[in-house]
Amino acid sequence: MRHLIDPLDITMEESLRLMDLADRICQNPAAYQDVAARKKLATLFYEPSTRTRLSFEAAMLNLGGKVLGFPDAGVSSATKGETVADTIRVISCYADIAAMRHPKEGAPLRASRYSRIPVINAGDGGHSHPTQTLLDMLTIRRRKGRLDHLTIGFCGDLKFGRTVHSLIKSLARCEGMKFILISPEELRVPDYIIHEFLEPKNIPYVEVRSLEDALPDLDILYMTRVQKERFFNEEDYVRLKNSYILTESKLALAQKDMAVLHPLPRVNEITLDVDNDPRAAYFEQVQNGVYVRMALIMTLLGLKDPITGEVAFEC
Amino acid sequence: MRHLIDPLDITMEESLRLMDLADRICQNPAAYQDVAARKKLATLFYEPSTRTRLSFEAAMLNLGGKVLGFPDAGVSSATKGETVADTIRVISCYADIAAMRHPKEGAPLRASRYSRIPVINAGDGGHSHPTQTLLDMLTIRRRKGRLDHLTIGFCGDLKFGRTVHSLIKSLARCEGMKFILISPEELRVPDYIIHEFLEPKNIPYVEVRSLEDALPDLDILYMTRVQKERFFNEEDYVRLKNSYILTESKLALAQKDMAVLHPLPRVNEITLDVDNDPRAAYFEQVQNGVYVRMALIMTLLGLKDPITGEVAFEC
Amino acid sequence: MRHLIDPLDITMEESLRLMDLADRICQNPAAYQDVAARKKLATLFYEPSTRTRLSFEAAMLNLGGKVLGFPDAGVSSATKGETVADTIRVISCYADIAAMRHPKEGAPLRASRYSRIPVINAGDGGHSHPTQTLLDMLTIRRRKGRLDHLTIGFCGDLKFGRTVHSLIKSLARCEGMKFILISPEELRVPDYIIHEFLEPKNIPYVEVRSLEDALPDLDILYMTRVQKERFFNEEDYVRLKNSYILTESKLALAQKDMAVLHPLPRVNEITLDVDNDPRAAYFEQVQNGVYVRMALIMTLLGLKDPITGEVAFEC
């Protein structure tokens, strides 16, 4: 049995095989509609997240499976002092697989150690959110036809944004990538990302302040939200939140086939006039998220692809 | 693709066809038990409402469909500042149809403009609640055998009660209706209802203060709750909440085949001794609500009635 | 139609037949996977409880049924002043069976009087929690092979713990039982339990203060949590919560085939080193809870066991 706690828990080869499966699902969803019949997914959300929770639930329902769980900690036994270790042992009696979001870093990892069912980390604090990384990579591959030799810009809050950290770490395993890190000084990417993941492999990167200067060079622009809840004081938030807003007029500086990604929800960092630009890929990401979660659930449950007769990778 | 945001979004002809379908479902629910197999309903409740949410969910489950969603805003991404426009675009990737309740008037309309799936307004502030109107009309038709030439009394809070406004507007399209509006001065029906919907068509109406005086003339009595949350100060609420209480002894003044409707939940505006009176129709309304929502979901999804081989109306 | 509100609503004979069914389900779950197809369970939780709610939901899903409901009072119509009597009449239009948890004693009983569908009490305040009692008895029977001639120790909070009261009352109907009641003076079992259920039948019992002294004599040790929410002041809680903690070293005093039960969630009253001891039966209880709830739902719905062709008992 395997879990998915950190994006690097699966190799790039395995990730690619998951994406292949997601592509097949996208092309023929009806072929997969009963694959997980009678299986149950538990969604354990100690912190609310409509998008991610409902994406997992839609994925499981699309596979013919069933869903139970809780949408926030207030309706869970956490309020009675139960540990995640005990909770997952209980949930192991109720479901075949679990997706857990938790405000505390490491909680899903700890749960996985006591679990009798596969655990998927659906986001733990500022730490990891591996299915977001998978859907980001799937969207990039679909838009550009490859996951190598790409120049990728990350823009906005690169300090607290876990989706950015995870995606950089994952893409650092691909050939010929170049990263342009666009942020205010206060929100630069943490040094450990650079020292542990980019420099050892001599992956080219540059840290810049101006979105507009960077735009012409990018194959992919990954925008992020400046999350109010990550700031310690209101003043810093107000000063920085309007930095790095992408507008249709700025987009004129970009390549015609660049793709704009965003983990959502957005507040105002991408203006509404960008939504109809063909480069906007952020709602495609949502759809791809369902497909890649379907692929992941199938794989962790050991369910064979009815088209190929194989599992994406062994668990 | 069509949405149902306002009760007047569908014609009376279309409403009658929906009610016909609801009647057929009621007579033979088993014939409809797989009609929406593999379809998914999203219940997006930014304001809690057990009755309405669970009615939609029961309707979808009765059709063999599946359900996902959130029961209040606290567990949704709304708290992260996401607009309903973005939320519905996300939900469009997860579900085939959505029911939305929102405290802000116009939110479901706005959502529908960005949606790739049909949106049903499940109540927006004091504004509209079109499926309540449909179930009210269905209940009246079932009880009286017709939706014309009826004298209908509305009693209680006619100012804030959206169910009252919607039902008056809808019934104003029927022949030979007469309205008796029974309320304290402070809670009279808004002038626009009278000026825009009754007077232009010369529909007879009268505004009165006494429930007992009005009772003998009524074919239908529509009671409403005096909702605490609509008042600005406690004192007004306390003074008025006990006005217009229907008791079994008052019911002695009414016709033997009058029907008492109430949108529920009631607090004390209908005493418990009325519950066993055959004129009490308010729990029938709940059951009819499931049938009419089944009919509506089928129709907005373009699903044919397996008995007639037709959709109730084209969408 | 029957409800299950109090553990004593069903006879010991009926309880044993439910446990027999639960055993058959455990041995061959696939035989039961469509038994409740198209049936709907409503989970009405006016007080959050992940474990119990999800156990009911897993049970219904395992039977091929469907689930709707609410996970706490905040998302229910209770906040609008609706009575449980009205709520259950509404829910009777939506579902085929209901499980209700409520902070107020007697609420499920009151609901059952107005219900058109079977109601299962899923815990009402400090009062009853009959499915917990059933799963406790099932676990004891599985571990010891019988439900008679056993020495059972209850340890911890015997004053407020409803699971303890219910289990004592139920087991008092079996032959040859002996109870050892281990608690601090402040948390002794209420007098009425002794006067009404033990003394009239001359059932041997002893009240002691020391867990260690009692351990060697026990066939079953039922540990309980010292629930913070039951205390009136913090000081009492802090002083007592660490009393009666079971550790692996204390377990050395116990018989090799004793079983340790706990209703969960635990805080620290059983240390983690006990979890791997073969005598630890508290996670088995969770699994048994699913089986016994499956058996109960089937029986209250009048569904025949596909293996025996019979219902567990007539309703």
Side-chain angles (χ1 to χ4, degrees):
Chain A
M1 185 179 67
R2 283 175 70 179
H3 308 282
L4 181 58
I5 305 301
D6 187 272
L8 303 186
D9 285 351
I10 50 175
T11 65
M12 183 50 64
E13 169 65 21
E14 291 170 331
S15 300
L16 292 170
R17 290 176 64 85
L18 270 187
M19 289 183 238
D20 292 344
L21 175 52
D23 281 338
R24 290 193 297 274
I25 292 171
C26 172
Q27 276 154 30
N28 188 2
Y32 297 84
Q33 67 191 11
D34 292 319
V35 161
R38 310 197 182 289
K39 298 291 185 186
K40 285 167 289 162
L41 165 72
T43 49
L44 312 176
F45 276 64
Y46 290 85
E47 188 179 60
S49 168
T50 309
R51 181 180 329 283
T52 304
R53 180 173 60 83
L54 296 186
S55 179
F56 273 108
E57 297 192 4
M60 191 57 170
L61 295 177
N62 287 349
L63 294 170
K66 300 165 185 188
V67 173
L68 44 71
F70 51 85
D72 72 53
V75 295
S76 86
S77 291
T79 51
K80 294 182 185 164
E82 189 173 65
T83 62
V84 293
D86 277 11
T87 297
I88 200 69
R89 281 188 279 208
V90 167
I91 296 296
S92 296
C93 299
Y94 298 161
D96 301 288
I97 186 166
M100 178 184 286
R101 168 158 295 196
H102 204 289
K104 216 184 273 179
E105 291 185 20
L109 175 61
R110 189 166 166 76
S112 71
R113 290 187 177 140
Y114 292 90
S115 183
R116 289 190 287 112
I117 60 175
V119 174
I120 302 169
N121 180 1
D124 59 334
H127 196 225
S128 297
H129 187 8
T131 56
Q132 178 71 43
T133 306
L134 284 168
L135 76 87
D136 290 338
M137 292 198 294
L138 179 60
T139 304
I140 293 169
R141 195 174 75 159
R142 289 206 166 186
R143 277 282 178 142
K144 308 304 294 183
R146 65 185 191 277
L147 267 179
D148 51 72
H149 301 90
L150 293 168
T151 298
I152 303 190
F154 291 90
C155 178
D157 171 5
L158 308 189
K159 182 175 181 182
F160 297 103
R162 67 183 159 201
T163 60
V164 169
H165 307 165
S166 292
L167 188 53
I168 292 174
K169 290 183 210 174
S170 285
L171 291 176
R173 300 180 294 180
C174 303
E175 291 292 313
M177 306 303 278
K178 183 177 168 185
F179 296 105
I180 304 194
L181 307 169
I182 311 154
S183 77
E185 176 63 27
E186 293 89 336
L187 295 176
R188 4 186 332 263
V189 83
D191 286 338
Y192 89 92
I193 297 281
I194 290 168
H195 298 327
E196 292 178 31
F197 293 91
L198 301 184
E199 291 181 347
K201 294 180 180 169
N202 290 315
I203 295 169
Y205 74 93
V206 54
E207 294 188 80
V208 301
R209 297 289 161 263
S210 165
L211 170 58
E212 282 163 280
D213 289 354
L215 265 175
D217 297 326
L218 303 179
D219 296 308
I220 299 289
L221 171 60
Y222 197 98
M223 295 293 296
T224 65
R225 178 164 59 103
V226 178
Q227 292 178 265
K228 192 174 182 178
E229 61 265 39
R230 303 291 182 209
F231 279 84
F232 293 109
N233 71 72
E234 184 87 10
E235 197 183 301
D236 281 6
Y237 171 70
V238 169
R239 182 171 55 87
L240 290 172
K241 74 173 171 152
N242 291 326
S243 314
Y244 309 103
I245 290 178
L246 182 67
T247 62
E248 184 64 9
S249 64
K250 280 186 200 161
L251 258 190
L253 302 167
Q255 295 170 27
K256 291 283 173 250
D257 62 350
M258 187 186 78
V260 180
L261 276 70
H262 187 295
L264 301 183
R266 67 165 157 186
V267 181
N268 65 347
E269 57 278 6
I270 299 177
T271 56
L272 299 183
D273 55 3
V274 175
D275 293 356
N276 296 320
D277 191 294
R279 287 166 287 195
Y282 30 95
F283 292 114
E284 274 172 45
Q285 281 172 279
V286 177
Q287 186 65 65
N288 289 334
V290 177
Y291 296 135
V292 88
R293 288 182 178 108
M294 291 171 75
L296 179 65
I297 290 169
M298 281 179 60
T299 305
L300 292 181
L301 285 175
L303 301 173
K304 286 179 185 159
D305 181 343
I307 289 176
T308 66
E310 291 178 0
V311 291
F313 55 81
E314 292 295 330
C315 287
Chain B
M1 184 179 68
R2 283 174 69 179
H3 308 282
L4 181 58
I5 305 301
D6 187 271
L8 304 186
D9 286 351
I10 50 175
T11 65
M12 182 52 63
E13 170 64 22
E14 290 170 332
S15 299
L16 292 170
R17 291 176 65 84
L18 270 187
M19 288 183 237
D20 294 342
L21 175 53
D23 281 338
R24 290 193 297 274
I25 291 171
C26 172
Q27 276 153 31
N28 188 2
Y32 297 84
Q33 66 190 10
D34 291 320
V35 161
R38 309 197 183 289
K39 299 291 185 184
K40 284 168 289 162
L41 165 72
T43 49
L44 313 176
F45 277 63
Y46 291 85
E47 188 178 60
S49 168
T50 309
R51 181 180 328 284
T52 304
R53 180 173 60 85
L54 296 185
S55 179
F56 273 108
E57 297 192 5
M60 191 58 169
L61 295 176
N62 287 349
L63 294 170
K66 300 166 185 189
V67 174
L68 44 72
F70 51 85
D72 72 54
V75 295
S76 85
S77 291
T79 51
K80 292 181 187 166
E82 188 173 64
T83 62
V84 292
D86 277 12
T87 297
I88 200 69
R89 280 188 279 208
V90 168
I91 296 297
S92 296
C93 300
Y94 298 161
D96 301 288
I97 187 166
M100 179 185 285
R101 168 159 294 196
H102 203 289
K104 217 185 272 180
E105 291 184 20
L109 175 62
R110 189 166 166 77
S112 71
R113 291 188 176 138
Y114 292 91
S115 182
R116 289 190 288 112
I117 60 175
V119 174
I120 302 169
N121 180 1
D124 58 334
H127 197 226
S128 299
H129 188 8
T131 56
Q132 178 71 43
T133 307
L134 284 167
L135 75 88
D136 291 339
M137 292 197 293
L138 178 61
T139 305
I140 293 170
R141 194 174 78 159
R142 289 206 164 185
R143 277 282 178 143
K144 310 303 294 184
R146 64 184 192 277
L147 267 179
D148 51 73
H149 300 90
L150 292 169
T151 299
I152 303 190
F154 290 90
C155 177
D157 171 5
L158 309 188
K159 182 173 182 183
F160 297 103
R162 66 182 160 203
T163 61
V164 169
H165 307 167
S166 292
L167 188 53
I168 292 174
K169 291 184 210 174
S170 286
L171 291 177
R173 299 180 297 180
C174 302
E175 291 291 313
M177 305 303 278
K178 184 176 167 187
F179 296 104
I180 304 193
L181 308 169
I182 310 154
S183 79
E185 177 63 29
E186 293 89 336
L187 294 176
R188 353 185 343 259
V189 83
D191 287 338
Y192 89 93
I193 297 281
I194 289 167
H195 298 327
E196 292 178 31
F197 293 92
L198 302 183
E199 290 180 348
K201 293 182 181 168
N202 291 315
I203 295 169
Y205 75 92
V206 53
E207 295 189 79
V208 301
R209 297 288 162 264
S210 165
L211 171 58
E212 282 162 280
D213 289 354
L215 265 175
D217 297 326
L218 303 179
D219 295 309
I220 299 290
L221 171 60
Y222 196 100
M223 296 294 296
T224 66
R225 181 163 57 103
V226 178
Q227 292 178 265
K228 192 174 181 177
E229 61 265 39
R230 303 293 181 209
F231 280 84
F232 293 109
N233 70 72
E234 184 88 9
E235 198 183 302
D236 281 5
Y237 171 70
V238 169
R239 182 171 54 87
L240 289 171
K241 73 173 174 156
N242 291 326
S243 315
Y244 310 103
I245 290 179
L246 183 66
T247 62
E248 183 65 8
S249 63
K250 281 186 200 160
L251 257 191
L253 301 167
Q255 296 171 26
K256 292 282 173 248
D257 61 350
M258 188 187 77
V260 180
L261 276 70
H262 187 295
L264 303 184
R266 67 165 158 186
V267 180
N268 65 346
E269 56 280 7
I270 299 177
T271 55
L272 299 183
D273 54 3
V274 176
D275 293 356
N276 296 320
D277 191 294
R279 287 167 287 194
Y282 30 95
F283 292 115
E284 275 171 44
Q285 281 172 278
V286 177
Q287 186 65 64
N288 289 334
V290 177
Y291 296 135
V292 88
R293 288 182 178 108
M294 291 170 73
L296 179 65
I297 290 168
M298 280 179 60
T299 304
L300 293 181
L301 285 175
L303 302 173
K304 287 180 185 158
D305 180 343
I307 289 177
T308 66
E310 292 178 0
V311 290
F313 56 81
E314 292 295 330
C315 288
Chain C
M1 183 178 70
R2 282 174 70 178
H3 308 284
L4 181 58
I5 305 302
D6 186 272
L8 304 186
D9 286 350
I10 51 175
T11 65
M12 183 50 63
E13 170 65 21
E14 289 170 332
S15 299
L16 292 170
R17 290 177 64 86
L18 270 186
M19 288 183 236
D20 293 344
L21 175 53
D23 281 338
R24 290 193 298 274
I25 290 171
C26 171
Q27 276 154 30
N28 188 1
Y32 297 84
Q33 67 191 10
D34 291 321
V35 162
R38 310 198 183 287
K39 299 291 185 185
K40 286 168 288 164
L41 165 72
T43 49
L44 312 176
F45 277 63
Y46 290 85
E47 188 179 60
S49 168
T50 308
R51 180 181 328 285
T52 303
R53 180 172 62 84
L54 295 186
S55 179
F56 273 108
E57 297 192 5
M60 190 59 171
L61 295 177
N62 287 349
L63 294 170
K66 301 166 184 188
V67 173
L68 44 71
F70 50 85
D72 71 54
V75 294
S76 85
S77 291
T79 51
K80 293 182 187 165
E82 189 173 65
T83 62
V84 292
D86 277 11
T87 297
I88 199 70
R89 281 188 280 210
V90 168
I91 296 297
S92 296
C93 300
Y94 298 161
D96 301 288
I97 187 167
M100 178 184 286
R101 168 159 295 197
H102 204 288
K104 216 185 273 180
E105 291 185 19
L109 175 62
R110 189 167 166 76
S112 71
R113 290 188 177 140
Y114 292 90
S115 182
R116 289 189 289 112
I117 59 175
V119 174
I120 302 168
N121 181 2
D124 58 335
H127 196 226
S128 298
H129 188 7
T131 55
Q132 178 72 43
T133 306
L134 284 168
L135 75 88
D136 290 339
M137 292 198 295
L138 179 60
T139 305
I140 293 170
R141 195 174 76 159
R142 290 206 164 184
R143 277 284 178 140
K144 308 304 293 186
R146 64 185 193 278
L147 267 179
D148 51 71
H149 300 90
L150 293 168
T151 298
I152 303 190
F154 290 91
C155 177
D157 171 5
L158 309 189
K159 182 174 182 183
F160 297 103
R162 66 181 160 203
T163 60
V164 169
H165 306 166
S166 292
L167 188 53
I168 292 175
K169 290 184 211 174
S170 286
L171 291 177
R173 300 180 296 181
C174 302
E175 290 292 312
M177 306 302 279
K178 184 176 167 185
F179 297 105
I180 304 192
L181 306 170
I182 311 153
S183 78
E185 176 64 27
E186 293 89 336
L187 294 176
R188 356 184 341 259
V189 82
D191 286 338
Y192 88 94
I193 297 281
I194 290 167
H195 298 328
E196 291 178 32
F197 293 91
L198 301 184
E199 290 181 347
K201 293 182 181 169
N202 290 315
I203 296 169
Y205 74 92
V206 53
E207 295 190 79
V208 301
R209 298 289 161 264
S210 165
L211 171 57
E212 283 163 279
D213 289 355
L215 265 174
D217 297 326
L218 302 179
D219 296 309
I220 299 290
L221 171 61
Y222 197 99
M223 295 294 295
T224 66
R225 177 165 58 105
V226 178
Q227 291 178 266
K228 192 174 181 177
E229 60 265 39
R230 303 291 182 209
F231 280 84
F232 294 108
N233 71 72
E234 184 87 11
E235 197 182 301
D236 280 6
Y237 172 71
V238 170
R239 182 170 54 87
L240 290 171
K241 73 172 174 156
N242 290 326
S243 314
Y244 309 104
I245 291 178
L246 182 67
T247 61
E248 184 64 8
S249 64
K250 281 186 200 161
L251 257 190
L253 302 168
Q255 296 170 26
K256 291 282 173 252
D257 61 351
M258 189 187 76
V260 180
L261 276 70
H262 187 295
L264 302 182
R266 67 165 159 187
V267 181
N268 65 345
E269 56 278 6
I270 300 176
T271 56
L272 300 182
D273 55 2
V274 175
D275 293 356
N276 295 320
D277 191 294
R279 287 166 286 195
Y282 31 94
F283 292 115
E284 274 172 45
Q285 282 171 277
V286 177
Q287 186 64 64
N288 288 334
V290 178
Y291 296 135
V292 88
R293 288 182 178 108
M294 291 171 75
L296 179 65
I297 290 168
M298 280 179 61
T299 304
L300 293 180
L301 286 174
L303 301 173
K304 286 179 184 158
D305 181 342
I307 288 176
T308 66
E310 293 177 0
V311 291
F313 56 81
E314 293 296 329
C315 288

